[in-house]
Amino acid sequence: MDPLTARQLIEDFIHDCAHCIDDDRLEEWPSYFVEDCRYTIIDRESFAADLPVGIMTCDSRGMLEDRVRALREANIYEPHCYRHLISGIRVRDVDGDVYRVQSSYAVIRTMQEGDISVFSSGKFLDEIVVRDDSLQFRQRIVVCDSNRIDTLIVIPL
Amino acid sequence: MDPLTARQLIEDFIHDCAHCIDDDRLEEWPSYFVEDCRYTIIDRESFAADLPVGIMTCDSRGMLEDRVRALREANIYEPHCYRHLISGIRVRDVDGDVYRVQSSYAVIRTMQEGDISVFSSGKFLDEIVVRDDSLQFRQRIVVCDSNRIDTLIVIPL
Amino acid sequence: MDPLTARQLIEDFIHDCAHCIDDDRLEEWPSYFVEDCRYTIIDRESFAADLPVGIMTCDSRGMLEDRVRALREANIYEPHCYRHLISGIRVRDVDGDVYRVQSSYAVIRTMQEGDISVFSSGKFLDEIVVRDDSLQFRQRIVVCDSNRIDTLIVIPL
């Protein structure tokens, strides 16, 4: 695939995944991943120290689906929504049809009562399988800048 | 128009409109809209419930111009400026020369005294008329994530 | 160079410079500038008033290298990291191989203790020398929206 086309498909894919979460279409979210995927949230220091244990890891699309179901059934103390801002999407490496991509994110959280704050910032390290114009994450590592992350990150980052 | 060209023109147009506000060239802002336009600010819940009443609606370019004039003459309690961050600009639909576009935004507000905060986050739902390389909003709906919005949103979002 | 190629090279370059800071590869940062460069941080009001004195100015790549060395040796009271979000990268002018580019930024600061806040927002006014696929800043003016800026801005913006 020519690099310009791949670049645009990847940018669109990453943004669409964020819109899917922000628009509260969470049931669609697992479809952005291959069956045999890995989704990890880890803090910056643990990632730098190559610690294998993230704050949260899902090892299959089924686990992502479970996560969404649990979220829909959960009694969240106070309703809130997320807004992703994604910047600096950069393809770092291509291996066959797998693209390694780095990007920066910030998630703005708005509580129903109206409080607005930056909930999390960090970077996405993605491995994206690109086949024709169909894209899916094989791996997404969310490296949070903060070491103090809510153990209950309800909505996915 | 070929999709790549349209995509870039639309991205540039949306960013230029934000720069126009952030650079305090507000008198230029109405020129980003067609004469017979609609500009609405509405909260997420009202929008989801399909409530027709936004927090603020302008139904013509003249109303946008009035708004800017009022702002210039107003005694604002404390001067402040805005900074738009726009992410995930995605063309969702094309109908003739009208493009339906979704994007995410955050507006950072800096008060003259120095306080910096996220003033608003949400999404833009735009209808943009693209004729050659001249673009204008036919409609811009600003869907704020927060239900509590200053009734006096002085500077446009 | 054709405009599309230049545009993409410039976007990538600006984002890579931000990733270099956010990934704490500060020793690489001066290499984004030509030898005889200018890097200035200035507040919005002083910039508008055309005041020649910024909060901080470096007049050569050597000064940028000194800055990074000083930072590495400094005892910072509380460790923190930055996350750049860059939006609205727009080429405003081309003069030979020098591109004048405007963009908006926000820098999210995360303290080791976990506090997350918007540290600074503003715009970059860049002059970028583009030779084949090698790009470097000839000038970067960081215009901060806030007039109250830490005199000790440790990590570069």
Side-chain angles (χ1 to χ4, degrees):
Chain A
M1 186 174 298
D2 85 282
L4 176 58
T5 306
R7 173 197 179 108
Q8 297 203 325
L9 288 174
I10 286 166
E11 291 182 355
D12 291 352
F13 173 73
I14 287 175
H15 288 307
D16 280 344
C17 181
H19 281 306
C20 154
I21 296 171
D22 296 348
D23 285 345
D24 195 28
R25 292 177 278 112
L26 292 178
E27 282 70 16
E28 282 179 34
W29 178 64
S31 72
Y32 283 86
F33 293 80
V34 300
E35 193 74 45
D36 185 29
C37 65
R38 173 172 274 249
Y39 173 83
T40 299
I41 301 177
I42 191 167
D43 69 89
R44 190 183 182 99
E45 282 192 9
S46 302
F47 182 75
D50 213 8
L51 294 183
V53 183
I55 295 149
M56 203 274 293
T57 294
C58 292
D59 270 326
S60 68
R61 195 201 290 157
M63 285 181 71
L64 298 177
E65 288 163 355
D66 288 347
R67 196 174 143 76
V68 170
R69 258 193 301 274
L71 162 61
R72 289 299 191 200
E73 288 160 9
N75 276 312
I76 304 167
Y77 185 70
E78 195 193 341
H80 60 271
C81 67
Y82 279 179
R83 179 65 50 192
H84 285 74
L85 298 170
I86 297 170
S87 174
I89 299 174
R90 298 284 291 119
V91 174
R92 293 301 181 204
D93 189 36
V94 189
D95 181 9
D97 56 3
V98 178
Y99 290 70
R100 292 195 174 74
V101 183
Q102 172 180 13
S103 57
S104 286
Y105 77 86
V107 174
I108 315 282
R109 185 177 60 178
T110 302
M111 307 307 284
Q112 192 157 38
E113 294 306 303
D115 282 342
I116 305 175
S117 61
V118 182
F119 173 65
S120 177
S121 67
K123 63 180 168 186
F124 292 128
L125 298 177
D126 297 325
E127 291 180 13
I128 301 173
V129 185
V130 181
R131 280 178 193 135
D132 301 320
D133 58 351
S134 154
L135 288 80
Q136 281 181 309
F137 292 115
R138 190 171 76 174
Q139 178 168 279
R140 164 157 272 193
I141 305 176
V142 185
V143 185
C144 299
D145 289 332
S146 175
N147 300 324
R148 284 202 328 202
I149 304 172
D150 265 319
T151 44
L152 183 66
I153 295 182
V154 183
I155 305 175
L157 289 174
Chain B
M1 186 175 297
D2 86 281
L4 176 57
T5 306
R7 174 195 179 108
Q8 296 203 325
L9 288 174
I10 286 167
E11 290 181 355
D12 291 353
F13 173 72
I14 287 176
H15 287 309
D16 280 345
C17 181
H19 282 307
C20 153
I21 296 171
D22 296 347
D23 286 345
D24 195 28
R25 293 178 277 111
L26 293 179
E27 282 70 15
E28 282 179 34
W29 178 64
S31 72
Y32 283 85
F33 293 80
V34 299
E35 193 74 46
D36 186 28
C37 65
R38 173 173 274 248
Y39 174 82
T40 299
I41 301 178
I42 191 167
D43 68 271
R44 191 185 182 98
E45 283 193 7
S46 302
F47 182 75
D50 212 9
L51 293 183
V53 183
I55 295 149
M56 203 273 293
T57 294
C58 292
D59 270 326
S60 69
R61 196 201 288 157
M63 286 182 71
L64 298 177
E65 288 163 355
D66 289 348
R67 196 173 143 78
V68 171
R69 259 193 302 276
L71 163 61
R72 289 301 191 201
E73 287 160 9
N75 277 311
I76 304 168
Y77 185 69
E78 196 193 342
H80 59 271
C81 67
Y82 279 179
R83 180 66 49 193
H84 285 73
L85 299 170
I86 297 171
S87 174
I89 299 174
R90 298 284 290 120
V91 174
R92 293 301 180 203
D93 189 37
V94 189
D95 181 9
D97 56 4
V98 178
Y99 289 71
R100 291 196 174 75
V101 183
Q102 172 180 11
S103 57
S104 286
Y105 77 86
V107 174
I108 315 283
R109 186 177 61 178
T110 302
M111 308 306 285
Q112 193 157 38
E113 293 307 303
D115 282 342
I116 306 176
S117 61
V118 182
F119 173 65
S120 177
S121 68
K123 64 180 167 184
F124 293 128
L125 297 176
D126 297 325
E127 291 180 12
I128 301 173
V129 185
V130 180
R131 281 180 193 134
D132 301 321
D133 57 352
S134 153
L135 287 79
Q136 281 181 309
F137 292 115
R138 189 170 77 173
Q139 178 168 279
R140 164 157 273 192
I141 304 175
V142 184
V143 185
C144 300
D145 289 331
S146 175
N147 300 324
R148 284 203 326 203
I149 304 171
D150 265 320
T151 44
L152 183 66
I153 296 181
V154 183
I155 305 176
L157 290 174
Chain C
M1 186 173 296
D2 85 281
L4 176 58
T5 307
R7 173 196 180 108
Q8 296 202 326
L9 288 174
I10 286 166
E11 291 181 355
D12 291 353
F13 173 72
I14 288 175
H15 287 309
D16 281 344
C17 181
H19 282 307
C20 153
I21 297 171
D22 296 347
D23 285 344
D24 195 28
R25 293 177 277 111
L26 293 179
E27 282 70 15
E28 282 179 33
W29 178 64
S31 72
Y32 284 85
F33 293 80
V34 300
E35 193 75 46
D36 185 29
C37 65
R38 171 172 275 248
Y39 174 82
T40 298
I41 301 177
I42 190 166
D43 69 90
R44 190 184 182 99
E45 283 192 8
S46 301
F47 182 75
D50 213 7
L51 293 183
V53 183
I55 295 149
M56 204 274 292
T57 295
C58 292
D59 270 327
S60 68
R61 195 200 289 157
M63 285 181 71
L64 298 177
E65 287 162 355
D66 289 348
R67 196 174 143 77
V68 171
R69 259 194 301 275
L71 162 61
R72 289 300 192 200
E73 288 159 9
N75 276 312
I76 303 168
Y77 184 70
E78 196 192 341
H80 59 270
C81 67
Y82 279 180
R83 179 66 48 192
H84 285 74
L85 299 170
I86 296 170
S87 174
I89 299 174
R90 298 285 290 120
V91 174
R92 292 302 180 203
D93 189 36
V94 190
D95 181 9
D97 55 4
V98 178
Y99 289 71
R100 291 197 175 73
V101 182
Q102 172 180 11
S103 58
S104 286
Y105 76 86
V107 173
I108 315 282
R109 186 177 61 179
T110 302
M111 307 307 285
Q112 192 157 36
E113 293 307 303
D115 281 341
I116 305 176
S117 62
V118 181
F119 173 65
S120 177
S121 68
K123 64 180 167 184
F124 293 128
L125 298 177
D126 297 325
E127 291 181 12
I128 301 172
V129 185
V130 180
R131 280 181 192 132
D132 301 322
D133 58 351
S134 153
L135 288 80
Q136 281 180 309
F137 292 114
R138 189 170 77 173
Q139 178 168 278
R140 164 156 272 193
I141 304 176
V142 185
V143 185
C144 300
D145 289 332
S146 176
N147 301 323
R148 285 202 326 202
I149 304 171
D150 265 319
T151 43
L152 183 67
I153 296 181
V154 182
I155 305 175
L157 289 174

